[in-house]
Amino acid sequence: MPDQEKPNPFCVLRLPTGSTLAEIVARGEDLHQIAENKEQAMLIHWATEQLKSNPETRLEYELLELPDTRYENEEWENFARKQRRKPITLAALAKESQPTPTQQVNMPVLLQSLLKLAQKVEKADIESVLDHAPCVPECTTPAMEEWNVISELIS
């Protein structure tokens, strides 16, 4: 029975469930050499022993591991390596771009172009949209009169 307190050995060694015994041993040795502390080295040794010592125990761990789990994504790593760039700092970006002084902005021309743009916007024809609606909404509340609105504002 697998130990419930420890992670799946395939997860510890970052190997797929179809790994051979040679791959398990090689990965165990590689990870053991770069282990950061004694606990991590002991966990790697435990995971390697669990998978190589007893075929029944390995089968149990294989069944408990998610199908088609890949701990290494070579496509992503290749993409990240090719697309890696030096990070842009705010100071470097500020050096390269010069802000436009407000004296260089021609305010009358800017306002005139904004007003022309505002005049070009046509009024929406909502009545034609409502007349050709695919379904007519049912209004269950009565229409409000002016005195209803005024009384709501006063109270």
Side-chain angles (χ1 to χ4, degrees):
M1 182 78 180
D3 190 357
Q4 298 294 330
E5 295 179 10
K6 294 192 178 183
N8 193 314
F10 288 106
C11 180
V12 173
L13 298 175
R14 302 182 62 78
L15 286 172
T17 55
S19 299
T20 64
L21 184 60
E23 291 172 336
I24 292 169
V25 171
R27 178 62 62 91
E29 290 174 358
D30 291 344
L31 292 175
H32 194 273
Q33 290 177 356
I34 61 171
E36 295 177 2
N37 52 38
K38 188 172 182 172
E39 290 82 23
Q40 190 177 19
M42 289 174 54
L43 182 65
I44 292 167
H45 178 71
W46 170 84
T48 306
E49 289 301 316
Q50 288 290 312
L51 294 179
K52 73 178 189 177
S53 63
N54 189 353
E56 292 176 3
T57 307
R58 177 187 169 145
L59 181 61
E60 289 178 9
Y61 283 117
E62 283 180 19
L63 294 175
L64 293 174
E65 185 70 7
L66 292 173
D68 300 327
T69 301
R70 292 186 343 186
Y71 292 104
E72 294 180 355
N73 191 347
E74 292 177 18
E75 293 175 13
W76 174 254
E77 290 172 4
N78 290 338
F79 174 79
R81 194 177 309 110
K82 288 178 185 176
Q83 303 300 324
R84 185 172 300 155
R85 295 184 182 157
K86 293 181 180 176
I88 298 175
T89 61
L90 192 57
L93 192 60
K95 283 182 184 178
E96 291 180 14
S97 63
Q98 297 296 326
T100 305
T102 54
Q103 295 83 10
Q104 290 183 357
V105 177
N106 192 345
M107 291 303 282
V109 173
L110 179 63
L111 288 173
Q112 188 176 18
S113 63
L114 288 174
L115 287 173
K116 284 182 182 177
L117 182 64
Q119 289 174 350
K120 288 182 183 178
V121 177
E122 296 180 16
K123 196 171 188 179
D125 187 15
I126 296 177
E127 290 182 16
S128 65
V129 172
L130 293 176
D131 291 341
H132 297 72
C135 64
V136 180
E138 294 181 23
C139 184
T140 57
T141 58
M144 292 183 76
E145 302 277 335
E146 290 88 11
W147 62 272
N148 295 100
V149 175
I150 295 170
S151 64
E152 286 292 323
L153 291 174
I154 293 174
S155 60

